[in-house]
Each structure stands twice: as structure tokens, then as C-alpha cells.
Amino acid sequence: MNYRDMGELAAERGGLAAWLHDRPQMPYLLPFFAYVLIMAPGALGHFAGLDWTALWRTYHPLIYPAESLAAALLLWALWPFYTRIRWTHLRIGALVGLLGTFVWVGTEYLCQHVGLTSRPNPTEFYIPDVMLDARWKIWGYLCVRVVGPTLVVPVMEELFFRDFLMRVLIRGSHFEDVPVGAWTWLSFLGMCILFGMNHGREWPEGVLYGAMMGVLLIRTKSLGSCIVAHAVTNWTLYLYVIYRGDWQFM
């Protein structure tokens, strides 16, 4: 029984499963927006009498696990409603992912050098050595901060951007009729731009990395390869951050 058959079987039971089956976009949207919205208040600054940025800095060790856990639970619960993932070309994905780390860091420093982006204020970083008062808290935070981007974020973002969004930009609400890996210039460029915007200040490398993942999917037709690539990039990037103390990338 494939994933779609499982989704149809769940839908026959009625209730929420039937509602999700009739709205195939929702399984892709819910984990992504749950993840984003939990972190979003930190960008409000001073609003409604509260300093949301200060609250974000204070409670970040709790906020980040909360958003990762929320996305992971939603992905697990909604798994029967996704298009079946092909787990092929994984070695190519791993190599592309390793290259992606160099591309991400190099692009950021190049953009800062030419003035396309400015170097962020270090006071905006969350530096666990400064913010946390015990070694076990620091290492506990770093473990969670690496595990989330390595195991949860790649699945969530590849499903949303490469699986869902690229097909939506081809056939809209009938995206399920489009094979994974199909593309048009609108779907490819639109996905790259939106992926870049999703990464805020790091939008140039976001656009470039989105293009790398898009090409990988188009050539391999394997979303699994993209997930592995994304996981390798995030894992090696965060190991670099911890080793070098280059907190602007975390």
C-alpha cells in the first residue's frame, strides 16, 4: 500500500482525515507554517508594550525545540498524505549537500565584501556561551540546535519548496497531477526566490541554494536525494559554526 492509498483509506473514516484528503495542500502547509509562526514573534521588536526580541533571546532555548517538535509531530501525523518519496541518488545528494555548505558560507562573505548585504550586529546573535550559565545547558542547546536542522528542517522544507511549491507554480490546485521533478522557468525561479526570502538576511545564498536543490530534483527526480543534501548541508554548516564560533550562520 503506497502513501496515497493510505491517505485515501484514512479519508474513508471521515473527520479530519477526510478534510485533509480533500485539501491536499494542507499537509504541506501546516508543518511549515507551524515552524515559522512559533519563531515569528521574535521579529516584532517592541509591539503591544512588549519587547519581543528580548523575549526571543531569553526563551530561545525553549522556543527552538518547540518549533522543531511541532513540525516533526505534524510531519509524522500527516505522512500518509504526502506524495511517495523516492530515496535514490543519495550519494549525489550527500556530495551536493557538502558543496552547499561551502556555497552558503562563501556567498554570505562575498555579499558582505561587495556590499550586497551588511555584516549583522553580533548583539543580534544568540551565543550560547554568553547566554547560558552552565556547560550542560550550552551543550544541550547545541545538540538540539543541530538535530532540528539536520533531521526535521530538511524534510519539512524539501516537501514544502521542492515537492509542493514547484508543482503548485505549474498547475495550482491541481499540483498532484504534476510529477515530482517537473518544472517550468516560473516554477523554478519562483521557488528559488521564495526559498531565499524564507532565509531573511541570508537571501542571496538562499536563492542560490534553492537553485542547487531545484537542479538536483530536476535531474534525479528524487526528493530523497534533496532531503539528504539539505541534511548534510545543515549538519556540516552547524558543525562549522560551533567549531569557528561564527554565530551569524546559526
Side-chain angles (χ1 to χ4, degrees):
M1 179 179 293
N2 60 35
Y3 295 144
R4 182 52 51 189
D5 291 337
M6 292 168 63
E8 291 175 354
L9 179 61
E12 292 175 359
R13 300 174 182 172
L16 180 60
W19 185 83
L20 289 169
H21 185 266
D22 293 337
R23 296 162 179 81
Q25 73 278 12
M26 296 308 296
Y28 294 92
L29 297 175
L30 290 173
F32 179 78
F33 282 104
Y35 186 91
V36 171
L37 291 176
I38 290 174
M39 186 66 82
L44 294 176
H46 290 273
F47 179 74
L50 294 173
D51 185 347
W52 293 95
T53 302
L55 288 173
W56 175 85
R57 290 177 63 83
T58 300
Y59 293 104
H60 183 67
L62 298 177
I63 294 171
Y64 190 82
E67 66 176 355
S68 296
L69 182 60
L73 289 175
L74 284 168
L75 288 168
W76 174 78
L78 298 170
W79 199 255
F81 297 94
Y82 297 121
T83 303
R84 187 177 183 88
I85 295 176
R86 294 181 63 228
W87 296 97
T88 61
H89 300 85
L90 302 187
R91 292 182 180 178
I92 295 175
L95 290 174
V96 171
L98 185 59
L99 174 63
T101 302
F102 291 95
V103 169
W104 195 277
V105 175
T107 300
E108 176 61 24
Y109 278 115
L110 176 62
C111 289
Q112 292 176 12
H113 179 73
V114 301
L116 183 60
T117 60
S118 59
R119 183 169 177 80
N121 187 336
T123 61
E124 298 175 354
F125 306 158
Y126 188 88
I127 304 177
D129 290 342
V130 175
M131 300 298 295
L132 300 174
D133 58 5
R135 296 305 298 176
W136 70 267
K137 292 181 181 179
I138 293 171
W139 283 107
Y141 168 80
L142 291 175
C143 287
V144 172
R145 200 66 177 87
V146 172
V147 168
T150 301
L151 300 182
V152 179
V153 172
V155 180
M156 176 190 69
E157 289 194 341
E158 293 308 315
L159 281 171
F160 181 78
F161 286 100
R162 258 64 73 179
D163 184 356
F164 172 67
L165 191 59
M166 281 185 70
R167 294 192 291 162
V168 162
L169 292 174
I170 294 175
R171 288 214 62 190
S173 61
H174 299 286
F175 72 92
E176 289 186 298
D177 297 335
V178 180
V180 173
W183 70 288
T184 64
W185 281 112
L186 173 63
S187 69
F188 181 79
L189 295 177
M191 175 275 294
C192 293
I193 292 170
L194 291 173
F195 188 75
M197 292 173 61
N198 182 59
H199 288 82
R201 180 186 59 80
E202 296 177 326
W203 65 266
E205 51 264 48
V207 171
L208 186 55
Y209 191 81
M212 290 176 60
M213 292 298 99
V215 171
L216 179 62
L217 181 63
I218 291 167
R219 295 297 302 269
T220 66
K221 312 299 181 186
S222 170
L223 193 68
S225 180
C226 295
I227 291 172
V228 168
H230 202 148
V232 169
T233 297
N234 286 358
W235 179 58
T236 53
L237 176 62
Y238 279 31
L239 290 182
Y240 159 81
V241 170
I242 295 169
Y243 178 73
R244 292 291 302 273
D246 198 352
W247 300 108
Q248 65 176 310
F249 293 104
M250 183 171 279

